[in-house]
Amino acid sequence: MQLSENFNLLDLTDENKTTTTLDWVKAFVLLGLAAYFAYNILTGNLTNYINTRFVWLSYLAVVIFGILGGASIYALIRHDPMVRDSSHTTVSWSMLGLVALPLVLGTLIPSQPLGASAVDGNIDTRVATVNGASAITKDPLTRNVLDWLRVFNQTDSPASFDGQSADLIGFVYREPDFAPDQFMIARFTVACCVADASAIGLPVTWAGAGDIADGEWVQVRGAFQAADFRDTIMPILIADTVDIVEQPEHPYVYP
């Protein structure tokens, strides 16, 4: 009887040690998540992943993960029996691994926005006309790629934009069947996060197009002229100048 009780006590001790280890790992994962969100906020990398209007959620995540992680460590240091008792442990190693996986991947994989290499061969030249009215009222020289596509969708007459000037920033994208003097000036739209990202673009014609590599960020100034592009008559931006520029602080456009 005494021997049986000793074995039970030993099993309980081993179980408590395992539980305590799991709780320590859980606490550090929570603090790690808080630090990861804080790092992305401070470096500006956060907008590589989400729409700017949801950034406040990341601030909230820093606070929540920090409080949870700090409270867990405080309880462990105080040897709180509720923490050590396995009957109160609701997190398994497998569940903890799933929670930690985004932290590991986010730490190991450098943060970078979607660009030309992320386009899957499908780039939209027509978009929904949501907020189309606000795009029309903008100064044409302040419209971005998304604004122009919305304006184009307001009419069935591509030639009505002939001669209108534009000043656009985007990355260079090409398909194999493009003419040597053609490329698309493109951006990704992000409604919520990169999971719903969609590539959009406008065709550009410029004699020096072959000198610019795919994926380069450029500023294109010129005027539109209706012409055939991949068997569709649409406004083509005839470039006067194309300059290589730095990637914008916010590389996405938001519908």
Side-chain angles (χ1 to χ4, degrees):
M1 183 70 175
Q2 182 64 40
L3 185 60
S4 176
E5 290 178 356
N6 287 341
F7 275 118
N8 289 338
L9 182 59
L10 183 60
D11 289 343
L12 182 59
T13 301
D14 289 342
E15 187 177 5
N16 282 339
K17 286 181 179 178
T18 301
T19 301
T20 302
T21 301
L22 180 61
D23 287 327
W24 275 106
V25 174
K26 180 183 73 173
F28 282 115
V29 167
L30 290 169
L31 289 179
L33 287 168
Y36 178 70
F37 276 99
Y39 171 79
N40 280 296
I41 290 171
L42 293 174
T43 59
N45 289 339
L46 199 60
T47 53
N48 291 344
Y49 304 109
I50 63 173
N51 189 315
T52 53
R53 65 174 175 266
F54 298 116
V55 167
W56 67 272
L57 290 171
S58 296
Y59 285 88
L60 184 61
V62 172
V63 174
I64 291 175
F65 286 132
I67 290 174
L68 290 175
S72 296
I73 289 180
Y74 178 74
L76 286 163
I77 292 174
R78 284 174 53 89
H79 303 291
D80 190 331
M82 293 292 287
V83 174
R84 299 182 61 192
D85 186 348
S86 62
S87 64
H88 295 279
T89 301
T90 58
V91 178
S92 67
W93 282 107
S94 58
M95 185 183 299
L96 188 59
L98 288 175
V99 174
L101 183 61
L103 176 61
V104 174
L105 294 177
T107 302
L108 296 179
I109 300 175
S111 172
Q112 58 182 6
L114 300 175
S117 61
V119 179
D120 59 4
N122 227 349
I123 190 162
D124 293 328
T125 55
R126 297 187 65 85
V127 297
T129 55
V130 178
N131 296 327
S134 63
I136 290 174
T137 59
K138 280 187 176 181
D139 179 345
L141 292 178
T142 66
R143 291 173 185 160
N144 58 36
V145 173
L146 179 61
D147 293 329
W148 276 110
L149 291 180
R150 284 174 168 165
V151 171
F152 294 160
N153 283 353
Q154 301 295 309
T155 178
D156 294 325
S157 175
S160 64
F161 300 98
D162 286 0
Q164 290 196 28
S165 298
D167 185 347
L168 297 173
I169 291 177
F171 60 84
V172 173
Y173 175 76
R174 292 183 180 89
E175 288 288 337
D177 61 346
F178 282 15
D181 62 347
Q182 282 186 330
F183 64 87
M184 296 192 80
I185 183 167
R187 300 288 287 264
F188 272 92
T189 65
V190 171
C192 176
C193 62
V194 292
D196 60 42
S198 178
I200 60 172
L202 288 169
V204 176
T205 296
W206 187 52
D211 298 328
I212 300 179
D214 288 0
E216 288 277 14
W217 281 87
V218 294
Q219 182 171 17
V220 180
R221 298 182 179 92
F224 289 106
Q225 182 70 41
D228 179 77
F229 179 73
R230 310 187 91 174
D231 300 323
T232 301
I233 301 299
M234 62 182 299
I236 309 292
L237 184 56
I238 310 301
D240 295 323
T241 62
V242 177
D243 299 309
I244 296 176
V245 297
E246 292 291 327
Q247 175 187 290
E249 181 181 359
H250 301 299
Y252 306 133
V253 290
Y254 308 110

